[in-house]
């Protein structure tokens, strides 16, 4: 191998190894600034011991929030979700506000992109659309103790009559 081709081979490895972290940093900045992915602000915090007096968690349940829109206020705790059945017409967009009254839980809703952590003292907000009639089961996906596996529920999207 000539000296020149050795340099060339080294460059072939060195340049991508410099480019990769630069690309990753770029994607990180794009996600953080461009897409607004950041840590929850202080406005999303609450006292988990005072949920019964803290809106919107003083009224857990499903509420109309406009045409084809619903608001779900949900409290997670060992080992259940309140409410654990959410009933909406098919074609609805549901905005969830979820918090935990005890320890860290999670929620993932089958058939949607909803997959979030539920942390005591924090309000987790996300929305999901339930286009097709049917059942969309959800589970806690963060190990939370001996009965973690029974922590589940479902969204029921009802066919329009
Ligand atoms: Cu809650 Cu696992």
């Amino acid at each position: 191998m000539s000296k020149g081709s050795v340099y060339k081979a080294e460059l072939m490895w060195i340049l991508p190894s410099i480019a990769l972290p630069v690309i990753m940093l770029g994607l990180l900045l794009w996600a953080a600034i461009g897409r607004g992915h950041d840590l929850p602000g202080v406005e999303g915090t609450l006292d988990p011991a005072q949920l019964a007096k803290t809106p919107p968690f003083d009224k857990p349940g499903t509420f109309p929030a406009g045409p084809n829109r619903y608001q779900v206020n949900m409290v997670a705790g060992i080992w259940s979700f309140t409410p654990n059945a959410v009933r909406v017409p098919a074609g609805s967009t549901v905005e969830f506000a979820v918090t935990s009254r005890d320890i860290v839980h999670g929620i993932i809703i089958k058939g949607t992109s909803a997959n979030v952590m539920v942390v005591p003292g924090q309000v987790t907000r996300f929305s999901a659309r339930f286009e097709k009639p049917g059942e969309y089961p959800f589970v806690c996906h963060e190990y939370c103790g001996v009965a973690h596996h029974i922590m589940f529920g479902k969204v029921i999207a009802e066919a329009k009559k």
Side-chain angles (χ1 to χ4, degrees):
M1 234 182 195
S2 75
K3 217 172 182 185
S5 68
V6 170
Y7 285 143
K8 213 171 168 188
E10 276 199 357
L11 268 184
M12 267 171 57
W13 289 101
I14 289 170
L15 290 181
S17 73
I18 294 169
L20 266 181
V22 172
I23 291 168
M24 284 173 164
L25 182 65
L27 287 172
L28 185 70
L29 291 174
W30 170 74
I33 299 164
R35 301 298 300 264
H37 291 181
D38 53 14
L39 292 172
V42 70
E43 73 280 359
T45 60
L46 47 72
D47 178 355
Q50 302 294 325
L51 290 185
K53 291 185 231 160
T54 310
F57 302 104
D58 53 341
K59 292 194 196 84
T62 309
F63 304 94
N68 297 323
R69 294 189 87 81
Y70 290 83
Q71 168 72 37
V72 168
N73 307 327
M74 184 180 276
V75 177
I78 47 173
W79 288 281
S80 62
F81 293 99
T82 310
N84 71 352
V86 171
R87 208 171 272 277
V88 293
S92 299
T93 298
V94 180
E95 282 154 21
F96 291 85
V98 191
T99 193
S100 167
R101 63 177 149 77
D102 40 42
I103 57 174
V104 174
H105 299 278
I107 181 169
I108 182 166
I109 308 179
K110 196 179 174 197
T112 73
S113 60
N115 178 351
V116 296
M117 301 295 295
V118 180
V119 181
Q122 296 280 349
V123 182
T124 301
R125 292 181 189 278
F126 61 94
S127 67
R129 193 169 162 76
F130 300 92
E131 195 60 57
K132 288 193 193 130
E135 293 190 353
Y136 297 79
F138 56 80
V139 297
C140 174
H141 62 46
E142 188 67 27
Y143 182 73
C144 56
V146 292
H148 160 70
H149 60 284
I150 64 158
M151 192 168 166
F152 58 85
K154 62 188 168 187
V155 175
I156 303 141
E158 296 178 317
K160 284 174 194 140
K161 282 155 201 146

